[in-house]
Amino acid sequence: NDPESIALMAKLGADLNARDENGATAMMHAAVANALPAVEALIAGGADPNLQDHRDGSTAAILAAYGVRRETLRYFIAHPGVDLTLRDVGSATVAGHAAQRNMNEELLAILKRCGPGGAGRLVRGEKVYLGKKQELTRQLEGLSLAHLAELAASWRARPIAGDDKKALIVKLLQRTP
């Protein structure tokens, strides 16, 4: 977690995307360690936050969610260059890992950023539509009524006073492309 050394390495032309024996990058190791200054320095130095490791297809953001590294995960969610829709070999997205670990504030931020259809890019007519719809439904069910209302407003799902969780989830699912 030494951003000055990382900046110097980048300046000297070091490969900030170099991989270890499992295909993990320095960014992935920094995410697991919740070393936000290192993550910031790596991205500033040109490291790719969307690379997937060779072991299970995890990205740095997936590893941050998996390890409940909230500070680092929030940074990844806010960074426009981070693809939150990538899936690991278990077919889980960052949103899926956040939902499994009850990281509801982070899940809400992911879903708001990804827009209707969620991080799984739910699109009607796809062969995998039903599976992705079930995945998104489970993620939505874990959110509070207040979070669902906030997401419904973000997705323009027309929430109204008195909507319960079920009604809001139906409205959110209807907003999928």
Side-chain angles (χ1 to χ4, degrees):
N1 194 12
D2 184 358
E4 292 81 19
S5 295
I6 294 168
L8 178 61
M9 289 172 33
K11 184 178 178 182
L12 295 173
D15 181 4
L16 299 182
N17 292 318
R19 295 173 180 267
D20 67 14
E21 64 277 358
N22 290 316
T25 63
M27 175 113 36
M28 294 171 192
H29 288 288
V32 168
N34 205 28
L36 182 56
V39 168
E40 292 171 328
L42 287 161
I43 288 180
D48 185 349
N50 299 313
L51 295 178
Q52 293 177 279
D53 69 23
H54 300 150
R55 194 185 56 180
D56 60 11
S58 292
T59 63
I62 286 172
L63 291 168
Y66 182 83
V68 192
R69 308 304 195 247
R70 291 178 187 276
E71 182 180 24
T72 302
L73 179 57
R74 288 177 186 144
Y75 175 80
F76 286 133
I77 294 167
H79 194 284
V82 176
D83 185 348
L84 299 174
T85 66
L86 295 173
R87 293 177 178 274
D88 61 21
V89 295
S91 196
T93 62
V94 175
H97 285 288
Q100 288 173 353
R101 286 149 186 85
N102 296 315
M103 300 173 73
N104 293 331
E105 293 292 330
E106 293 80 4
L107 176 60
L108 175 63
I110 293 165
L111 294 174
K112 285 173 72 174
R113 179 173 155 207
C114 291
R121 291 190 175 168
L122 180 63
V123 178
R124 296 178 198 276
E126 285 183 309
K127 287 183 181 180
V128 294
Y129 174 77
L130 290 178
K132 286 183 176 181
K133 181 179 177 185
Q134 288 173 341
E135 175 186 28
L136 179 58
T137 300
R138 282 191 303 273
Q139 292 170 5
L140 296 172
E141 288 171 345
L143 294 175
S144 68
L145 182 60
H147 283 151
L148 288 170
E150 184 178 338
L151 184 60
S154 174
W155 284 11
R156 298 181 184 176
R158 299 186 180 155
I160 57 172
D163 277 345
D164 62 7
K165 282 182 75 165
K166 185 175 181 179
L168 288 171
I169 290 170
V170 167
K171 289 180 179 185
L172 287 162
L173 292 173
Q174 289 173 343
R175 289 289 300 142
T176 59

